[in-house]
Amino acid sequence: MTESAITVDDGQPALIVRYGQLLGDEIPQAQRAGQLADILVELVTGIGLTARRAAPVLGPHPAVALHVNGVPYLVVVSWSPDQATPAQILDLQRAAARPGVRLVLVSISGFTEPQLSHAEDEPVVILMDRFHIEAMLCGLASVDGIFGQASDRALFDRAGYTDLTDLLVDTGRPTPAGFVTPDRLPAPGDMCVQAADGARVRHLFSGVAGWIEPLGLAITEDGRLLVTTAAGIVEVDGKRGTTDWLLPLDGCRGDPLPCGDGSVLTLCGPAVVAWKDGKLTPIAGDLSDARSLLAGPGADPWVLSGYGASFGVGTGTLALTRLGRRAGQQQKRHIVFGADVLTAGWLGDLRFFLAAAGHSAVIDLARSTRVQREDWIESPHHSPGHLLVTGPSEVTTASPDSRGVDATLYRTDLATGASELVAEIASNKVRGLAWQGADSPMLMLGDVRGNDVTTPHPVIVAIDRQISAATSSHPVQPRNQTPVDPVRERSAATSKDAAPMSDPHEPAVIDHPIVDRFDPVRIAARGLRSDYRLGPRPLARGGQATVFGAVHKPTGTPVAFKKVNFQGPDQLARMGREVDAAQMFGGNPHVMPVLDFSPSYEWIVMPLADDTAQTRSAELADSDRLRRLVTAICTALREPHKHGWIHRDLKPDNILRLDDRWTVADWGLGRRPRGQTTDPKRTQVGGPFGTEGFAAPELGADAHSVGPQADIYSIGQIAGWALTGNWPQANVALLPLTGPWRTIVKAATDFNPARRPGTVDELLALIAQELDEPPDIPVNQGKALLAAAAGGDATALTQLIRLAVRSHADYELYLDVLVDLDEEQTRTAVSADPSATRDVVRAVRDLHTGGQITLEYDDVDRLVTWLLVIAQQAEILEEWDLLEDTAEAILYLDLWDRWNVQNDIKRWITYRTGQAASIVAGALRRNPEVLQHFASLASNTRVDHRVRTAIRKS
């Protein structure tokens, strides 16, 4: 599996999201009708039909002229808190009647008399409310479908208004095929292939003839089963198997989601709809790639959509989207996970389990939207498309086997990653998995096709299993029901006062996730402006956005509320970029997180910071405090730079102090990884970019093509600003007059990006080199250990060998310390740690680099003498791998053709027998270039025959 990139749209928000803005509080009432008219024009023209704004015909209400299936329509849009009256409809008839043109009145608030009929000689006014508009925006119904059917009802029934439910729901369908008990229609064989101890498989129902493809399963609180088909949702009596239509609506798919208020949600084409008390309501759209519908935090439904697997090619579109309870409230979180994710389950707070082929994962959206390699959990079967969260740290997944013969259910412990088989069931397909909780059986909707592969034969199977103590003592919310709001009452008080100065000895960075006082806001976040009470005056105002102090009303937590100054596509795109960066890297405690955001990116919510680097400028003149600031910035940028993100606007105002740590904020001008920027023209080539003085020179030439060195330049300028107290000038390095920071700033702010440190780690290494005490180099440490050994320290020789392992091929350590060990010390060290000695011996080849360090003849002689002692001790200990590595090292050094040690090597080779002789013979065969040095041994009968054979073959 490979990590995939994500496909994002950081341009104009989807129409359904823009429509959701109109339902909120942000847009003045007087502007909403006009904006809805614009959305309607874009909707119609977006599918290739003709539409434009027309001159108003009914007071101030905007009008749209459009053609659908060759028929001209004049649509008048009314956005008022009051319902449209018969008098307004009559006014429209009189004012707008035109031969051949059909009149439509859209009233968002509905009509006082929706069943108003028309006389035969009056022009019919087609009446539509918000639900008709939402159905088209969500993709539940097509524009020509809504206009065509509503027009037909109005023309032929002389009734202007037809409810959306009446337009789309086919209540006249015959009763769907049902289920019977297995004694009446048995399966071809035993349904249970195998079951774990304590588990039992029971065949409950078999589907009779006439079923169309089953696509999902859910169970309600009162025990009714819901089966999804492409023709709608079928309600099944859980005791008798009899059926009826719950929702006869074409295009349904996936598992339905019963909710606590009695409604049932389902995917339908690219839309999500709610069905309650016989009324159909669209609640989300633009989800054509949705894979599953699931319950989540905050009593809201969520959708898993898109694809994560890219196999190293292209981009992924994987996302988890919180839907809310009305159209336009959806909040999408792009997920970076290189896997074919099939379904998801909510684990609590903002933690989700992503079930995928190959490897699954747990992701915590409160920390990051990127799945790390250490989060992977091996999937126990090849296509886990259905799951239940069956415990606080446990999921059960179901999948057909790779042959399509049987289905398997596995329980996975998320704490350990271990999986165990629950049951194997004789079902060719798995179409759904549901339960009512820990005390009830799991129900699997299967499909037993046998040899008749074209005809569905649905079966419902119950799986009883012994519930672990951990599971039974922690009841979990059934997957198919909306959970109780999980926001806990936690202390959320925060001080607006500036935090006290940090201790100079505090750690420079925090290297673990922060569990903080803002978690309740993260969990309750739902993208609603009404959840926040803003302060009367802004805390900060910039060219793109303004920041207010605010209170999250559901939890009482003080937060920072940032909103764009104007809602152009560039401004919204940049705010969306800030959201994506914060979600992806917000698990790093030095990246300022985003707690909540508008689905259209008009505003975001962040923790309320204590200070900025700007307001703490006086204390940053201290070298230690400045180093902590720079280290925190580098720590924040390490992961983004690794994945191709560049901040491009680092400056003192964007470095915020939060709970005694520095954080990097405001990624609005950031550049996404190459290939993920939807509109490269948004970044002007050759124009000013970023903040003057802190922006790298190359940003002015081509800001789209810069690398990490652009951010490193800004860090250097921040350091220069802190130390000199001066604001930097454009493209002029702000250098301290003297001291180690001058070298650091000079390197970071070089005009040529190629001459700057290439990564933040290179910059940190330079800082350490300039500010830290000189390191205790290996040779000095080795000499100290050698002296300690001479003084009787029994562990010193072992420590010396391990130091050599850590200091791979350190020339001075080897030639000034190791080879000076006497024979007894060498044998003692080898015996103490043969494995570490192997690493030391293998490094001998790296001592001679050919460029920087060249072994002298005397060095070779001493090394060979030392290695011969190691070889002899390895043979005594029967450490054959060590002997083989040592023989290779000796023969490598023999390339120097040193006659005075060559005789020592010959004597050693001559007297090897048994396994040692076999190893030496093999080493000789692998080093044919030195065999001529030992030609005299080929006829020496004292030499092992295998060694002689190896030499002769040269």
Side-chain angles (χ1 to χ4, degrees):
M1 296 188 349
T2 60
E3 181 181 277
S4 66
I6 57 173
T7 296
V8 294
D9 180 7
D10 63 1
Q12 192 79 343
L15 293 179
I16 183 62
V17 174
R18 289 170 54 196
Y19 169 79
Q21 293 176 255
L22 304 181
L23 299 176
D25 303 326
E26 296 90 348
I27 298 175
Q29 181 80 25
Q31 298 178 16
R32 297 181 188 179
Q35 293 195 25
L36 179 58
D38 292 338
I39 289 173
L40 185 58
V41 169
E42 290 187 46
L43 175 68
V44 175
T45 57
I47 58 174
L49 302 178
T50 302
R52 63 175 178 84
R53 288 285 291 269
V57 294
L58 185 63
H61 303 298
V64 174
L66 54 87
H67 288 75
V68 177
N69 293 331
V71 177
Y73 291 84
L74 182 63
V75 182
V76 176
V77 179
S78 171
W79 194 300
S80 168
D82 301 320
Q83 295 178 317
T85 65
Q88 290 174 308
I89 299 171
L90 183 59
D91 288 344
L92 180 60
Q93 287 177 317
R94 293 169 178 169
R98 290 168 173 76
V101 177
R102 298 182 184 179
L103 304 179
V104 179
L105 176 60
V106 174
S107 173
I108 290 299
S109 298
F111 305 90
T112 58
E113 297 183 36
Q115 301 307 319
L116 182 68
S117 60
H118 303 275
E120 290 289 339
D121 57 348
E122 293 177 331
V124 173
V125 177
I126 302 164
L127 306 180
M128 296 185 186
D129 57 24
R130 59 180 287 183
F131 301 109
H132 297 90
I133 301 300
E134 290 169 2
M136 292 185 287
L137 289 172
C138 290
L140 175 62
S142 64
V143 171
D144 55 350
I146 290 290
F147 274 85
Q149 291 186 58
S151 179
D152 286 349
R153 298 286 184 99
L155 290 173
F156 298 116
D157 298 343
R158 306 303 296 176
Y161 178 81
T162 303
D163 182 84
L164 178 69
T165 302
D166 294 336
L167 281 181
L168 300 184
V169 177
D170 183 7
T171 56
R173 287 181 183 171
T175 302
F179 285 96
V180 295
T181 53
D183 59 321
R184 296 177 56 189
L185 186 59
D190 190 352
M191 293 296 298
C192 180
V193 178
Q194 61 174 318
D197 292 342
R200 182 173 59 133
V201 176
R202 294 180 288 126
H203 182 184
L204 297 184
F205 293 114
S206 298
V208 301
W211 270 94
I212 59 176
E213 191 89 15
L215 301 174
L217 175 70
I219 184 169
T220 64
E221 288 183 345
D222 58 3
R224 292 173 297 137
L225 306 183
L226 306 180
V227 176
T228 305
T229 71
I233 298 177
V234 177
E235 186 177 77
V236 182
D237 186 307
K239 295 182 179 179
R240 301 171 183 83
T242 55
T243 59
D244 201 355
W245 288 109
L246 174 74
L247 174 58
L249 175 67
D250 289 340
C252 293
R253 58 193 178 95
D255 294 331
L257 183 63
C259 300
D261 63 357
S263 63
V264 174
L265 275 56
T266 183
L267 293 166
C268 187
V272 176
V273 299
W275 177 254
K276 182 181 180 182
D277 299 331
K279 183 175 179 59
L280 184 70
T281 305
I283 66 168
D286 196 29
L287 295 165
S288 58
D289 57 355
R291 292 200 158 195
S292 62
L293 185 64
L294 60 145
D300 286 332
W302 288 62
V303 163
L304 171 75
S305 63
Y307 303 85
S310 65
F311 303 103
V313 178
T315 57
T317 58
L318 189 66
L320 280 166
T321 302
R322 189 174 198 159
L323 301 184
R325 283 295 182 161
R326 70 182 187 200
Q329 287 185 338
Q330 56 206 68
Q331 277 185 313
K332 178 177 284 190
R333 291 166 168 84
H334 299 285
I335 308 298
V336 180
F337 182 26
D340 184 18
V341 180
L342 303 175
T343 188
W346 176 52
L347 302 173
D349 290 345
L350 285 173
R351 297 173 64 248
F352 292 84
F353 180 75
L354 306 177
H359 284 87
S360 300
V362 174
I363 189 168
D364 186 352
L365 298 182
R367 304 291 169 245
S368 176
T369 54
R370 180 182 295 276
V371 174
Q372 303 292 346
R373 177 64 181 84
E374 57 267 23
D375 299 324
W376 289 9
I377 298 173
E378 186 174 354
S379 300
H381 31 205
H382 88 289
S383 184
H386 303 271
L387 74 83
L388 298 173
V389 179
T390 48
S393 185
E394 175 187 303
V395 297
T396 299
T397 52
S399 166
D401 64 21
S402 57
R403 303 168 299 159
V405 175
D406 296 326
T408 54
L409 277 76
Y410 276 87
R411 168 195 169 275
T412 299
D413 185 328
L414 302 183
T416 65
S419 297
E420 61 181 17
L421 181 71
V422 175
E424 184 176 358
I425 298 169
S427 176
N428 304 110
K429 299 177 182 291
V430 179
R431 293 304 190 186
L433 194 63
W435 76 331
Q436 286 183 294
D439 296 329
S440 65
M442 294 181 287
L443 300 181
M444 190 192 85
L445 175 63
D447 195 345
V448 182
R449 301 264 173 131
N451 295 325
D452 186 4
V453 296
T454 61
T455 304
H457 295 283
V459 295
I460 296 176
V461 177
I463 303 96
D464 303 292
R465 73 180 185 91
Q466 185 175 1
I467 305 298
S468 66
T471 302
S472 60
S473 63
H474 294 81
V476 296
Q477 184 69 31
R479 178 188 187 276
N480 301 108
Q481 295 180 13
T482 302
V484 176
D485 189 338
V487 178
R488 297 180 290 275
E489 294 185 3
R490 306 178 190 175
S491 173
T494 181
S495 171
K496 184 64 186 73
D497 298 332
M501 283 192 179
S502 305
D503 187 313
H505 301 293
E506 70 180 3
V509 296
I510 297 171
D511 60 359
H512 56 82
I514 299 293
V515 178
D516 60 30
R517 53 197 165 96
F518 297 102
D519 276 352
V521 181
R522 288 184 176 96
I523 296 166
R526 50 185 183 160
L528 296 183
R529 165 66 180 79
S530 58
D531 282 346
Y532 300 92
R533 182 173 63 252
L534 271 61
R537 290 178 297 276
L539 301 177
R541 190 187 302 274
Q544 301 291 326
T546 301
V547 180
F548 289 84
V551 173
H552 182 243
K553 292 188 284 189
T555 64
T557 305
V559 293
F561 188 98
K562 179 178 179 179
K563 64 177 184 177
V564 295
N565 292 336
F566 33 90
Q567 297 179 17
D570 287 355
Q571 288 72 32
L572 296 176
R574 284 169 175 155
M575 192 76 94
R577 203 175 304 172
E578 188 166 355
V579 170
D580 282 344
Q583 288 182 344
M584 197 172 299
F585 307 113
N588 184 321
H590 297 285
V591 173
M592 176 60 76
V594 169
L595 307 175
D596 195 4
F597 61 95
S598 160
S600 55
Y601 302 129
E602 297 172 317
W603 52 264
I604 62 174
V605 173
M606 302 176 293
L608 187 60
D610 305 308
D611 276 301
T612 69
Q614 177 72 50
T615 59
R616 287 201 173 189
S617 58
E619 70 181 64
L620 292 174
D622 175 79
S623 178
D624 288 340
R625 295 181 188 278
L626 176 60
R627 183 175 184 178
R628 284 194 291 275
L629 172 80
V630 171
T631 303
I633 297 173
C634 291
T635 304
L637 295 178
R638 180 180 291 115
E639 194 73 7
H641 282 180
K642 175 183 174 183
H643 295 286
W645 283 76
I646 311 297
H647 190 284
R648 300 194 297 188
D649 195 26
L650 294 171
K651 58 184 177 181
D653 282 333
N654 287 342
I655 312 301
L656 307 183
R657 189 73 174 173
L658 176 64
D659 294 340
D660 293 328
R661 68 187 190 273
W662 288 110
T663 63
V664 173
D666 198 349
W667 290 80
L669 291 183
R671 194 209 66 200
R672 298 181 187 275
R674 298 186 185 279
Q676 293 185 29
T677 301
T678 57
D679 186 5
K681 295 180 181 178
R682 182 167 292 124
T683 301
Q684 302 271 336
V685 175
F689 196 93
T691 300
E692 183 175 321
F694 294 98
E698 62 268 26
L699 285 169
D702 184 2
H704 189 68
S705 299
V706 299
Q709 293 92 337
D711 286 344
I712 287 170
Y713 180 95
S714 300
I715 296 172
Q717 291 292 74
I718 290 172
W721 159 83
L723 292 167
T724 65
N726 297 323
W727 197 261
Q729 299 179 32
N731 302 336
V732 178
L734 186 53
L735 301 179
L737 293 177
T738 186
W741 278 101
R742 178 182 175 85
T743 302
I744 297 165
V745 173
K746 186 176 179 63
T749 57
D750 195 296
F751 192 86
N752 185 347
R755 291 201 294 261
R756 297 174 206 150
T759 67
V760 291
D761 286 316
E762 288 183 20
L763 177 60
L764 291 174
L766 175 61
I767 292 171
Q769 175 182 307
E770 292 296 322
L771 300 183
D772 291 345
E773 292 294 327
D776 189 6
I777 59 177
V779 65
N780 291 340
Q781 297 178 53
K783 288 178 178 178
L785 288 170
L786 199 56
D793 186 342
T795 66
L797 292 175
T798 302
Q799 294 180 55
L800 177 59
I801 292 297
R802 292 173 182 173
L803 171 65
V805 173
R806 296 193 303 272
S807 310
H808 179 82
D810 185 278
Y811 181 88
E812 292 180 329
L813 178 62
Y814 273 70
L815 275 303
D816 292 349
V817 178
L818 289 179
V819 297
D820 285 340
L821 292 173
D822 61 32
E823 182 173 336
E824 181 181 352
Q825 289 174 324
T826 301
R827 292 182 184 276
T828 300
V830 172
S831 300
D833 197 337
S835 177
T837 306
R838 281 191 69 196
D839 292 333
V840 173
V841 168
R842 284 197 295 262
V844 165
R845 284 177 176 266
D846 297 330
L847 288 172
H848 180 79
T849 65
Q852 299 171 349
I853 298 174
T854 302
L855 287 176
E856 301 294 338
Y857 289 141
D858 181 63
D859 297 334
V860 172
D861 293 347
R862 295 163 64 215
L863 280 167
V864 169
T865 301
W866 176 65
L867 287 170
L868 286 170
V869 176
I870 293 176
Q872 293 165 9
Q873 188 64 18
E875 184 176 355
I876 292 170
L877 298 174
E878 297 186 356
E879 290 286 346
W880 304 123
D881 290 337
L882 173 58
L883 177 59
E884 183 173 344
D885 289 335
T886 308
E888 293 279 355
I890 291 170
L891 295 178
Y892 164 73
L893 292 172
D894 191 60
L895 288 171
W896 272 257
D897 196 17
R898 296 292 295 152
W899 62 269
N900 51 338
V901 291
Q902 228 163 54
N903 290 331
D904 296 334
I905 299 173
K906 288 179 181 178
R907 280 194 296 273
W908 173 68
I909 292 174
T910 298
Y911 296 105
R912 302 283 64 79
T913 60
Q915 183 66 28
S918 176
I919 289 171
V920 170
L924 288 166
R925 285 192 296 271
R926 290 188 293 274
N927 292 272
E929 61 274 15
V930 300
L931 292 181
Q932 59 182 333
H933 300 164
F934 308 107
S936 63
L937 299 181
S939 58
N940 188 337
T941 58
R942 287 179 296 179
V943 177
D944 187 279
H945 68 282
R946 290 165 292 185
V947 174
R948 284 184 284 145
T949 301
I951 295 172
R952 288 195 193 106
K953 287 187 176 180
S954 65

